[in-house]
Amino acid sequence: MLDEKDHSGLGAGSVLGKCRLTSRIGHGGMGVVWEARHLTLEIPVAVKILREQGLSATESARYRERFQREARIAARLSHPGLVRVLDFGEDGGRPYLVMELVQGWTLEQYLSRQTMLSEKLAIQVVGHVCAALSVAHEAGIIHRDIKPSNILIDKEGKLKVSDLGLARDLMAPALTGPDGILGTPLYIAPEVIDGLEDVDCRADLYSVGVMLYQMLFGKPPFQGGAAQILHAHAFQQPDLEPPPGVEVSSATRSLLRRLLEKRPDKRIDSANQVVAICRSIHARLEGRSSRDSESRRPTDSADSKFRKTLAGQFGASVSVESGRRILHTTFKERVMIWILLGVVVAAAIGGWLASR
């Protein structure tokens, strides 16, 4: 937790608009994020403050325009899988954005602890992320920075897509000045690298494909320096053969291949289609598990430990259904709970009878 003063001189206890800052929780290229208390609504919130230190007047104006655009775009979108924006304003020359506070972990933090997820869990995560993205895409918004650090998991076990700082409204004019290459090299689509003007929602789906690859295989498809990674995304085909000892179904590999197509016209063209495919794959994997409960993916022992960690923090497995908790107890776990309750009740009754 970061609690020192930020670039603007604000610190814990400072009031910005209607929010009292309590602790600094993160920072990015455009701003610093604080946990705060909304003085009117009396709820905890996250406040993102624009970072302008060291910027020229031209750069500052451009960052302010992008910051305002993020607020307008986020305010237009409503979905349980998207971080909500509550307010936007300026105080003392400092533009700020008030958002719902998501207390939990990022997918990046999960992957730093458990580098490889089970196929079922990875498919569920992708399905949920794409359910949220479909709302943005249908509104003409592309995110342009889908990556594990922008996927949040709250304490109720819900996935939320965050950070629309690089988002683009396809129906609005482009910002003044060149955008350059926007996004994170590890997850960027080839058409973004090429600087094509007609980049659309399929660029987000490519980034989703990179995340799926990372969850299944334990690492992104391309690694190295930024220039090497960008060149690989543009010209090299990813190795879709799973690591030794790792089993990935043909259906999931087909999905991965279609998401990572270099040419957008060959790629899956809608987030809703990805959600439908994920539901189909998940149903097959559920059926396979019920028919052969003793058969386990080689990484399942590690994934089981990971699931227990999730259960301790947030609850257990992931759902691709829009707005549902992604972490919930399994049927087997519910049966065990009822058995344990039965043992406790029987022991209590036995003790009571013995005391009579």
Side-chain angles (χ1 to χ4, degrees), residues 19 45 47 107 129 142 179-180 283 303 317 334 344:
C19 301
V45 294
V47 178
L107 180 58
V129 169
I142 51 177
D179 270 344
D303 186 59
S317 76
R334 290 196 294 272
V344 171

Side-chain angles (χ1 to χ4, degrees), residues 24 61 66 84 226:
R24 187 178 166 199
R66 191 180 299 283
R84 289 181 296 125

Side-chain angles (χ1 to χ4, degrees), residues 24-55:
R24 187 178 166 199
I25 56 177
H27 59 85
M30 285 181 60
V32 176
V33 182
W34 283 79
E35 181 175 343
R37 182 79 179 175
H38 197 286
L39 301 177
T40 303
L41 299 177
E42 297 185 347
I43 58 172
V45 294
V47 178
K48 184 176 181 180
I49 307 169
L50 181 64
R51 180 196 299 272
E52 294 184 288
Q53 187 178 30
L55 298 178

Side-chain angles (χ1 to χ4, degrees), residues 147 218 301:
K147 57 185 178 181
S301 59

Side-chain angles (χ1 to χ4, degrees), residues 25-176:
I25 56 177
H27 59 85
M30 285 181 60
V32 176
V33 182
W34 283 79
E35 181 175 343
R37 182 79 179 175
H38 197 286
L39 301 177
T40 303
L41 299 177
E42 297 185 347
I43 58 172
V45 294
V47 178
K48 184 176 181 180
I49 307 169
L50 181 64
R51 180 196 299 272
E52 294 184 288
Q53 187 178 30
L55 298 178
S56 67
T58 301
E59 290 172 329
S60 179
R62 184 167 174 77
Y63 268 57
R64 281 174 174 254
E65 190 176 1
R66 191 180 299 283
F67 200 68
Q68 292 171 359
R69 182 180 65 178
E70 177 181 2
R72 290 193 299 267
I73 287 175
R76 284 170 48 191
L77 303 176
S78 177
H79 185 273
L82 295 169
V83 174
R84 289 181 296 125
V85 167
L86 306 175
D87 195 10
F88 174 77
E90 186 170 326
D91 187 346
R94 306 181 187 93
Y96 65 89
L97 186 64
V98 182
M99 305 170 289
E100 67 171 313
L101 179 65
V102 181
Q103 295 177 313
W105 286 11
T106 67
L107 180 58
E108 181 180 52
Q109 289 171 317
Y110 278 145
L111 294 176
S112 70
R113 298 182 62 177
Q114 175 65 42
T115 57
M116 191 181 298
L117 304 187
S118 69
E119 180 180 1
K120 188 190 300 185
L121 191 59
I123 283 294
Q124 290 169 321
V125 169
V126 165
H128 192 97
V129 169
C130 284
L133 281 178
S134 68
V135 173
H137 292 169
E138 287 168 5
I141 306 299
I142 51 177
H143 190 286
R144 298 204 293 185
D145 200 21
I146 293 296
K147 57 185 178 181
S149 62
N150 283 337
I151 309 302
L152 310 181
I153 303 180
D154 71 12
K155 288 187 175 180
E156 293 183 355
K158 294 177 182 176
L159 281 180
K160 290 181 179 286
V161 178
S162 71
D163 199 347
L164 291 163
L166 296 183
R168 180 185 174 191
D169 185 345
L170 297 177
M171 304 303 293
L175 292 181
T176 56

